[in-house]
C-alpha cells in the first residue's frame, strides 16, 4: 500500500486519545478488505511501540497520563507488504483536575486570635503544575498561597471553626480537602467600656459601665477600686470592691469628704 495519511484526533480525555484515519490511496492491487493497520506511539524520547493492530480505521489509546503529549505514526499492510510509515503527528491528552491537599494539621499552639496550618501537596495534579492553594475559613475563601502552610489571623477567641484547602492549576480548582476543625482558647476580657460616674454624695460615688468583650469566656467578676489622693499628693489605695460578672453599676461608700479619688474597674473571665 501507499503511504497513509497521518491519523487525526477524534477526542482527547485525561487518560485516553481516540484517533481515526483513512485507507491509503493505493493498495498495490490487493483487495481493499485485506488492509490492516499498525498504529505506533512514542512518549517523549521513547522509541515507537505498536499500540493498535487491526483492520479498523479508528482506535482508542488508553492508560495515558493527563496533559501529556504523545507522538503517533501509522503503517498500512496487506498481502503485498507494508506501506511506508505516515507522517508523524503529536496529540496531547486533556488536563485533569488536581486532587486536594492532604494531611492538614495545626502547627504549634493555637492562639486566641491566630493559628498556623500546614498540609501535604497532592500527588495527583492532573498533569499540570500547582499554581496556588486556596484556603477556606468556615467555608469562605480566606486567601491564596503558593506555599503548603499559612498563618490564619483575625480569629475570635473561644470559638470553633473549620479550615479547608483546595489545589489550583490551569485546569481549575480541585475539590476541597477534608475539613480541619479547630478551637481557639479564650483571652483576657477587654477593658470595661463607658465607665462613668452617675452620682456623688459627700461620702459616696456611684459608677456605671457597659459590658466589655468577654473574649470567648463568660465574665466572672469585676473589681472596682479607688485610690484616695491627699492634698499633699500622697495616695492611699482603698480595698477593692468585688462584683459579679453580671454587674453594671456599683457604689463606693464611706469615702472621705472633699477628697479626690481615682477609680479603676477590671473585668475577669
Amino acid at each position: 500500500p501507499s503511504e497513509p495519511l497521518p491519523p487525526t484526533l477524534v477526542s482527547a480525555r485525561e487518560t485516553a486519545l481516540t484517533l481515526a484515519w483513512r485507507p491509503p490511496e493505493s493498495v498495490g492491487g490487493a483487495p481493499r478488505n485485506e488492509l490492516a493497520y499498525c498504529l505506533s506511539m512514542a512518549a517523549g524520547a521513547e522509541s515507537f511501540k505498536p499500540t493498535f493492530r487491526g483492520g479498523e480505521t479508528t482506535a482508542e489509546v488508553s492508560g495515558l497520563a493527563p496533559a501529556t503529549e504523545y507522538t503517533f505514526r501509522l503503517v498500512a499492510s496487506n498481502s503485498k507488504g507494508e506501506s511506508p510509515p505516515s507522517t508523524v503527528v503529536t496529540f496531547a491528552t486533556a488536563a485533569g483536575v488536581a486532587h486536594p491537599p492532604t494531611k492538614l494539621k495545626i502547627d504549634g499552639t493555637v492562639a486566641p486570635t491566630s493559628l498556623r496550618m500546614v498540609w501535604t501537596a497532592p500527588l495527583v495534579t492532573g498533569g499540570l503544575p500547582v499554581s496556588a492553594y486556596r484556603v477556606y475559613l468556615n467555608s469562605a475563601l480566606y486567601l491564596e498561597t503558593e506555599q503548603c502552610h499559612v498563618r490564619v489571623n483575625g480569629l475570635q477567641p473561644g470559638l470553633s471553626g473549620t479550615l479547608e484547602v483546595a489545589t489550583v492549576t490551569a485546569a481549575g480548582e480541585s475539590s476541597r480537602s477534608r475539613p480541619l476543625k479547630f478551637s481557639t482558647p479564650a483571652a483576657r476580657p477587654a477593658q470595661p467600656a463607658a465607665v462613668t460616674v452617675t452620682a456623688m454624695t459627700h461620702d459616696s460615688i456611684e459608677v456605671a459601665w457597659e459590658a466589655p468583650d468577654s473574649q470567648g469566656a463568660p465574665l466572672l467578676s469585676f473589681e472596682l477600686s479607688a485610690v484616695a489622693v491627699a492634698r499633699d499628693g500622697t495616695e492611699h489605695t482603698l480595698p477593692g470592691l468585688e462584683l459579679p460578672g453580671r454587674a453594671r453599676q456599683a457604689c463606693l461608700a464611706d469615702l472621705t469628704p472633699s477628697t479626690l479619688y481615682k477609680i479603676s474597674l477590671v473585668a475577669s473571665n
Side-chain angles (χ1 to χ4, degrees), residues 58-83:
T58 183
E60 180 180 89
V61 183
S62 58
L64 307 179
T68 303
E69 290 188 339
Y70 294 90
T71 303
F72 297 90
R73 69 184 182 190
L74 182 69
V75 172
S77 64
N78 57 19
S79 59
K80 302 293 186 180
E82 290 187 350
S83 73

Side-chain angles (χ1 to χ4, degrees), residues 33-187:
N33 58 10
E34 284 187 2
L35 279 172
Y37 303 95
C38 176
L39 179 68
S40 297
M41 179 185 75
E46 297 177 0
S47 58
F48 280 95
K49 296 178 182 179
T51 188
F52 168 82
R53 294 182 186 274
E56 295 84 1
T57 56
T58 183
E60 180 180 89
V61 183
S62 58
L64 307 179
T68 303
E69 290 188 339
Y70 294 90
T71 303
F72 297 90
R73 69 184 182 190
L74 182 69
V75 172
S77 64
N78 57 19
S79 59
K80 302 293 186 180
E82 290 187 350
S83 73
S86 69
T87 302
V88 170
V89 288
T90 300
F91 303 113
T93 50
V97 177
H99 287 190
T102 59
K103 299 180 181 179
L104 276 67
K105 66 178 182 179
I106 303 297
D107 182 26
T109 302
V110 178
T113 60
S114 66
L115 59 83
R116 186 176 190 270
M117 178 179 63
V118 298
W119 58 86
T120 299
L123 295 177
V124 177
T125 62
L128 297 171
V130 174
S131 57
Y133 295 100
R134 287 180 183 155
V135 179
Y136 291 86
L137 173 61
N138 296 328
S139 299
L141 180 63
Y142 177 72
L143 57 71
E144 276 195 11
T145 177
E146 296 179 1
Q147 309 299 321
C148 287
H149 57 82
V150 67
R151 176 159 290 280
V152 181
N153 297 309
L155 302 176
Q156 293 296 314
L159 293 180
S160 298
T162 59
L163 287 163
E164 301 165 287
V165 184
T167 308
V168 180
T169 67
E173 180 178 330
S174 73
S175 58
R176 298 180 191 177
S177 64
R178 295 181 63 180
L180 174 65
K181 297 179 181 179
F182 69 89
S183 296
T184 55

